[in-house]
Amino acid sequence: MGAIKNGLQYAKDGKGASQSTKDKYLIPWNTKERAITGGAIFIGSSYINVGQNTIYLQKFDVNDDRPGTLFTHQYMTNVLAPSSEAKSIYSGYQKSGLLNNAMTFIIPVYNNMPDIPTQSPNINTKDFTTDNTKVYCNTADVNVRTGPSTSYEIITTIAKNTKMTRIRKGKQSGERWDQVILENGIVGYIYQTYVTELPSVQIQKIEVGMDNTTLKKGEKEQLKVTISPPEASTHKVVYSSSNNRVATVDDKGVVQALRSGTATITVRAQENTVQGQITIQVYSPVTGIHLDQKQIYMEIGDTFQINANIEPSDSDDKTVVFTSENSQVATIQQDGIITAIQEGTTKILASSKENSNIKAECEVNVVRKMAEDEIHFDSSLTVNSLEISGIDYTSNTVKDIKDKITTDLEIEIVNYNNQVLKDTDIVGTGCKIRVKENDKVIRQYQIVVYGDANGDGAINSVDLLVLQRHILEIKTLEPIFRKATNINKNGANPSSVDLLLIQRHILELQRIVQ
């Protein structure tokens, strides 16, 4: 009657079975519960308990531990079933998240079985030649498939340099595939382009050297690589750096020093795990020095902190030596504290200890002492030594600023280039408020507008670009603009955090506090 009709007949009345048998198997199977439970009892007593304890052995009676005649107590003749049904079961376990559970596999082993699995019947054997070549994977993350096409299922994914044996070499027209066996026993197909034959003589030792393992920032140096044995000297090696921020290495072994620090350069054989290493030190010499003031006015007896910034920021020796050209007018300590001694003008010089030819200077003008009631600043402004901040960036014309200063002395505001501004001009970072008497400057205050990186008095996308170029070391900001872009006001070199804070200000998410 066929499998379906026979099955339905058995479920209905046991197909001639005795009443005791029907009672044992809960026949009739007229509910889901009776069918599942009774069917499980039937499989358990008739198959599992007599040694046919796997799906394979239930369908193919090849277990001679079971009393009786072989090949008779089975219900399938389809030899492709183990392959097709294994995929279905695998899929079920995968969807249930059970693949990582421990399992015991009971696998029948037949006499005269080949060491290597035979080709699937739907794969043309004429497309392959038998091979036994040691190979390795030359590309990262390559899929091994059940057949010679991307339409076949993926068995596993292997890493670059994974070793394997090619058991059949593809000779198909167009896209070629090889059959390989991995070291863990997995057999599958891999795209032939990703397979490279292991040479008969492999690299056994790699020695790496350099003429100088201490490089200056920006320098390039060629690695000296010696491969043993000599017969393997032309074999491919791969170069890498442990810290690409400090130093990089290209595929020809040229090392480029990028910034101060230490990096280990590794030269590794592509065909195996042999490698050689060398550690290099990158030294960042001083290239420039900047003072945060170029011209200051001090009263007799005043002290003022001047700060020097060494370029680049990763210089190994940031030591600065301060001197005064005329210590009778003003002196300076090595921590940058200037003291005004008597009226006059002098220059404060700052030089790099590493290279005394690299220097910067600031003009110091010592003037008469002003009485406390000679000048008064509105409480909205923050006057810190000779700097003024707290300016409202929405109301910052020259007139707006002058209206916040009470004095009988002359007030003049100039831009960063010392050009006198009109009352309607905008005041920004780097502008200076000059207090004059009889056309002589007797006091000068420098203005800081936090977030204004270019001195135009506004805080917009231009400032983002200027600060970004500074962070990327494309164009370094002058000290006063560095101070203005250090939104956290912690004295640090402005960073990407400050860039974000300016951006949030522009988007009106978080205002910069002046």
Side-chain angles (χ1 to χ4, degrees), residues 422-439:
K422 298 182 298 220
D423 281 356
T424 55
D425 289 334
I426 300 296
V427 174
T429 298
C431 290
K432 293 179 278 288
I433 300 173
R434 288 176 174 171
V435 182
K436 301 175 75 174
E437 184 180 55
N438 300 323
D439 289 332

Side-chain angles (χ1 to χ4, degrees), residues 432-449:
K432 293 179 278 288
I433 300 173
R434 288 176 174 171
V435 182
K436 301 175 75 174
E437 184 180 55
N438 300 323
D439 289 332
K440 180 182 178 181
V441 178
I442 62 172
R443 198 74 168 177
Q444 180 171 280
Y445 301 88
Q446 194 162 32
I447 290 174
V448 176
V449 178

Side-chain angles (χ1 to χ4, degrees), residues 380-381 389-397 400-401 404 426-429 447-452 456-460 463 487 489 501-502 504-506 508-514:
S380 63
L381 300 177
S389 59
I391 292 174
D392 182 356
Y393 45 81
T394 64
S395 180
N396 57 337
T397 65
D400 292 330
I401 305 303
K404 295 181 179 181
I426 300 296
V427 174
T429 298
I447 290 174
V448 176
V449 178
Y450 288 97
D452 175 23
D456 64 0
I459 304 173
N460 52 35
D463 300 297
I487 311 303
K489 304 175 186 177
L501 291 174
I502 294 175
R504 290 177 63 83
H505 173 92
I506 295 170
E508 299 183 359
L509 299 175
Q510 180 182 348
R511 289 293 186 184
I512 294 173
V513 177
Q514 295 297 322

Side-chain angles (χ1 to χ4, degrees), residues 5 64 75 117 144 171 183 187 281 350 386 472 476 492 505 509:
K5 287 186 177 180
D64 57 7
Y75 55 90
V144 178
K171 57 178 182 178
E183 291 183 333
V187 177
Q281 186 77 31
L386 299 180
L472 296 174
T476 303
H505 173 92
L509 299 175

Side-chain angles (χ1 to χ4, degrees), residues 23 25 28 37 67 73 95 98 148 199 270 307 313 389 400 452 511:
D23 291 342
Y25 298 146
T37 304
H73 194 235
K95 290 177 181 178
L98 300 174
Q270 190 178 62
N307 299 296
S313 60
S389 59
D400 292 330
D452 175 23
R511 289 293 186 184

